[in-house]
Amino acid sequence: MVAVGAMALTAAAGCAQGGGSTASKNEVSYWLWDSNQLPIYEKCAIAFEKEHPGVDVQISQIGWEFYWNKLTASFIAGTQPDVFTNTPPKHAQFLSLDLLEPLDEFEETSGIENSDYQPGLAATWIGEDGHRYAAPKDWDTVALFYNKEMAREAGLSEEKLNTLTWNPRDGGTFEKAIARLTVDKNGVRGHEPGFDKDNVRTYGLATADAGGMDGHVQWSPFALANGWYYTDETSQEVRYNYDDPRFQETIDWYFGLAEKGYLPRFEHFSPANGPEVQVGSGKAATALNGAWMIRTFHNLKGRDIGSVPTPVGPTGKRATLMNGLGDSLTKKGGKKKAARQWVAHLASDACQRVAGEAGIIFPATAAGTRLAISAYEKEGIDVTAFTKPLRERSTFGFPVTDFSADVSAMMFPAMQDIYANGKPVSGLDRTNDQINLLFEQGG
């Protein structure tokens, strides 16, 4: 029987169904954070249980803002789930703490091959020791959602929006478009004389806070298209590059949009007022966001929403982070044959097809992706902006390094200071030195 429990939002670990250490060999506890994906894996679990009589899959869905703290607490208390949804930015830390089982060492999961999934997804989960520590689950890229009516009023056709370019000097045609989409209280647009940047009715681009260490749906498409990457991949040692002039000029330009009135100032953002809320309320005309938000944006009441790829940068190419989630087997879960079988089922063509038919995410397999595209198309939703980067090979993986929590803890306030307080980007030199010192000293 599939059991689904929303995790209690308390500090106590192991309070979710299936999370305790007393679970039987035939009970598999599985944690995930996305409520939209919950019905997919309920359906997969029902099919799995039919194939494995007597096995109970206990699914716990915990909101993102609580998920990682809960998971950490459960490992400390010894009440961790058998299987959990993992993400590349967090993965290295789990490996360094020796919390995961290598899937290739078990008969049930040894058949997972890189070639079974979209390029690059499966390789993400292979550690430095050559072992695989998660089964590919899905993928996402970033694109620009836009209000079609506002674009028409600004004289911006879909063709124009599809061919935007960007550079850190003047923002290119991307900044020109964002300026045209910005309207002040008197109806004056951002590119017109008399525009009042301190009294804006509609911002050209929505904000999603300062971006922390990765700027996933903020500045990453611009920095990556400027030839920058988070770490130095030519060095034997891990070295972060937040002191790179290409990064700093990108950040200077990006937050400069707020000074010009095209992007909301820092104080206008809150978790309850995210990009989708800003676009839905008419406070913003566009928003950079990920494929997991496709339905959210297209379901905005009274809004006709389209999407276009990120702009072409100085490298002559577009750029977007490509995130691919995975399902990992904990050390505790590795003792259960049923848990290993569940991981294999989650990565199987059967479950991936179920995910694709739901039209909520892009599954990791090519077949699952095709089904997802068809599901969106049946509802009149064009997802080309998200799939095009795969064909163009303009995707980048998240940096996967040790001490990711420490890097995040240092970059979060540094980026907030630039956005909120107008601190110079040169201050990132010192933060970058502190981050790299961490790796030099081994933590």
Side-chain angles (χ1 to χ4, degrees):
M1 179 184 70
V2 180
V4 182
M7 182 69 104
L9 304 181
T10 67
C15 57
Q17 293 187 26
S21 59
T22 59
S24 71
K25 289 182 180 180
N26 289 327
E27 182 178 285
V28 179
S29 53
Y30 177 51
W31 290 10
L32 52 78
W33 64 76
D34 190 349
S35 60
N36 291 325
Q37 295 185 36
L38 182 58
I40 295 173
Y41 299 107
E42 289 176 337
K43 192 171 182 179
C44 285
I46 290 171
F48 173 77
E49 290 177 349
K50 286 181 179 178
E51 294 176 5
H52 301 85
V55 175
D56 291 336
V57 178
Q58 304 278 332
I59 303 178
S60 293
Q61 182 266 318
I62 310 106
W64 172 265
E65 65 272 30
F66 300 99
Y67 186 83
W68 299 107
N69 286 340
K70 274 291 184 186
L71 190 59
T72 299
S74 74
F75 277 116
I76 294 170
T79 55
Q80 66 271 22
D82 298 313
V83 182
F84 70 96
T85 300
N86 201 350
T87 186
K90 304 283 187 181
H91 182 55
Q93 202 145 22
F94 290 124
L95 286 184
S96 67
L97 295 171
D98 193 30
L99 298 173
L100 310 180
E101 287 283 13
L103 302 184
D104 48 308
E105 291 196 345
F106 297 108
E107 179 184 356
E108 297 82 3
T109 50
S110 61
I112 295 172
E113 299 288 345
N114 290 1
S115 57
D116 293 337
Y117 307 95
Q118 295 286 6
L121 289 182
T124 300
W125 304 108
I126 296 178
E128 291 183 359
D129 59 4
H131 290 297
R132 186 185 308 283
Y133 289 92
K137 184 183 191 70
D138 57 28
W139 63 269
D140 60 70
T141 53
V142 173
L144 186 73
F145 291 101
Y146 71 97
N147 183 310
K148 291 183 178 181
E149 181 181 356
M150 290 182 177
R152 285 193 294 269
E153 291 174 350
L156 295 168
S157 65
E158 184 178 359
E159 182 182 2
K160 284 183 179 179
L161 292 173
N162 264 299
T163 56
L164 295 176
T165 60
W166 172 82
N167 68 73
R169 297 180 302 281
D170 60 17
T173 59
F174 177 84
E175 182 172 327
K176 288 182 173 63
I178 295 303
R180 294 184 73 90
L181 288 163
T182 303
V183 184
D184 71 13
K185 298 289 186 180
N186 298 314
V188 180
R189 295 187 176 275
H191 70 293
E192 295 175 333
F195 170 69
D196 185 353
K197 67 176 184 177
D198 296 317
N199 290 285
V200 177
R201 183 177 71 205
T202 301
Y203 293 94
L205 181 64
T207 187
D209 76 38
M213 69 176 285
D214 57 56
H216 189 181
V217 295
Q218 296 90 354
W219 40 260
S220 67
F222 308 106
L224 295 168
N226 199 22
W228 172 84
Y229 189 68
Y230 302 88
T231 56
D232 184 355
E233 299 190 305
T234 64
S235 173
Q236 295 287 349
E237 304 296 328
V238 175
R239 186 188 186 285
Y240 274 83
N241 294 324
Y242 298 118
D243 58 349
D244 190 314
R246 292 170 297 182
F247 176 70
Q248 293 190 7
E249 67 181 1
T250 300
I251 298 304
D252 201 32
W253 166 82
Y254 179 79
F255 292 122
L257 293 176
E259 292 300 314
K260 296 174 182 177
Y262 307 156
L263 178 80
R265 293 183 183 275
F266 176 81
E267 59 266 25
H268 295 161
F269 173 80
S270 73
N273 185 35
E276 71 280 9
V277 176
Q278 295 165 49
V279 172
S281 66
K283 294 294 185 182
T286 73
L288 284 165
N289 223 305
W292 66 91
M293 293 292 287
I294 290 173
R295 286 196 175 276
T296 299
F297 275 93
H298 282 275
N299 289 338
L300 291 174
K301 188 174 181 180
R303 305 295 177 193
D304 188 8
I305 303 296
S307 57
V308 293
T310 58
V312 174
T315 59
K317 296 182 179 181
R318 308 177 193 278
T320 170
L321 283 172
M322 182 176 180
N323 194 28
L325 304 182
D327 290 308
S328 289
L329 182 69
T330 66
K331 289 283 186 181
K332 167 194 162 189
K335 295 181 176 64
K336 297 182 182 180
K337 183 179 180 67
R340 302 193 294 269
Q341 291 172 328
W342 173 238
V343 172
H345 184 79
L346 287 167
S348 70
D349 184 66
C351 186
Q352 291 274 310
R353 285 177 176 272
V354 169
E357 289 167 354
I360 294 173
I361 58 171
F362 292 119
T365 62
T369 296
R370 287 193 296 270
L371 287 170
I373 293 171
S374 295
Y376 283 122
E377 286 178 345
K378 287 177 183 177
E379 297 184 43
I381 300 175
D382 181 6
V383 294
T384 305
F386 297 93
T387 59
K388 189 174 184 178
L390 273 70
R391 298 194 301 273
E392 292 183 342
R393 298 186 180 278
S394 57
T395 62
F396 293 80
F398 277 81
V400 180
T401 70
D402 288 337
F403 312 121
S404 60
D406 302 281
V407 176
S408 178
M410 285 187 266
M411 281 299 293
F412 183 80
M415 298 301 289
Q416 299 274 76
D417 226 9
I418 294 170
Y419 188 10
N421 302 318
K423 291 297 178 69
V425 294
S426 59
L428 292 170
D429 289 353
R430 182 171 180 273
T431 304
N432 196 68
D433 288 342
Q434 292 173 329
I435 290 170
N436 288 330
L437 183 62
L438 184 69
F439 286 89
E440 292 170 13
Q441 296 179 340

